Amino acid sequence: MPMLHDNMRPLTPLTCGALTFVAAGALCIAAAPGSATLAYQQRVNGIATQVIAQALAPYFALLRGGTVKLIYRVGLQGKVQSVKVVATHPSRVVTDACVNAIKAAQFPPIPQSVLKEQGQKWVDVNTEIGIDR
């Protein structure tokens, strides 16, 4: 059964059909501990992990270990504005499924408290999906 992992800490499994995933948590960019920005990035990353788990379910046979690392920009209304692939899975289909899931996802709008902290109308989120089988 594939497992998403983060080599730095234990993770909580998420079950989606016959697959079990573990959310790596937001590897946040320029957010102070306890900040509204960090809380928002973690919330977005939790949703992203669920969306990606659902997107990968049809590709069970291709999930043979590897990592996908994405940095994506979420706009004011929660729409993804851009996605950058930082690390690819050995199967291009798996990487593409992760990217497409993030592009199609609708995240919560950015809270006013985050906008005040950031001084901009977007937030970058870094999601790492490690797969072991």
Side-chain angles (χ1 to χ4, degrees):
M1 177 174 298
M3 292 290 291
L4 296 179
H5 63 84
D6 178 340
N7 294 327
M8 300 187 303
R9 58 191 172 277
L11 305 165
T12 306
L14 167 70
T15 301
C16 181
L19 303 176
T20 300
F21 297 90
V22 180
L27 303 172
C28 299
I29 302 167
S35 70
T37 301
L38 178 62
Y40 180 74
Q41 288 170 319
Q42 290 172 331
R43 182 175 177 202
V44 166
N45 198 65
I47 295 167
T49 301
Q50 292 176 0
V51 168
I52 289 171
Q54 292 170 353
L56 291 180
Y59 303 104
F60 182 80
L62 299 175
L63 301 177
R64 300 253 186 252
T67 300
V68 177
K69 294 181 186 178
L70 306 173
I71 296 175
Y72 47 99
R73 181 163 288 175
V74 179
L76 188 59
Q77 297 303 315
K79 182 76 176 144
V80 173
Q81 297 176 339
S82 63
V83 179
K84 178 181 177 185
V85 178
V86 179
T88 61
H89 186 272
S91 168
R92 173 98 181 168
V93 172
V94 172
T95 299
D96 289 347
C98 292
V99 169
N100 291 335
I102 291 298
K103 284 181 177 179
Q106 178 62 49
F107 298 107
I110 300 172
Q112 287 298 317
S113 56
V114 174
L115 294 174
K116 287 179 185 176
E117 283 179 2
Q118 293 293 303
Q120 57 207 18
K121 295 183 179 181
W122 47 265
V123 174
D124 286 338
V125 180
N126 181 339
T127 299
E128 179 175 345
I129 306 298
I131 303 167
D132 285 336
R133 187 163 171 200

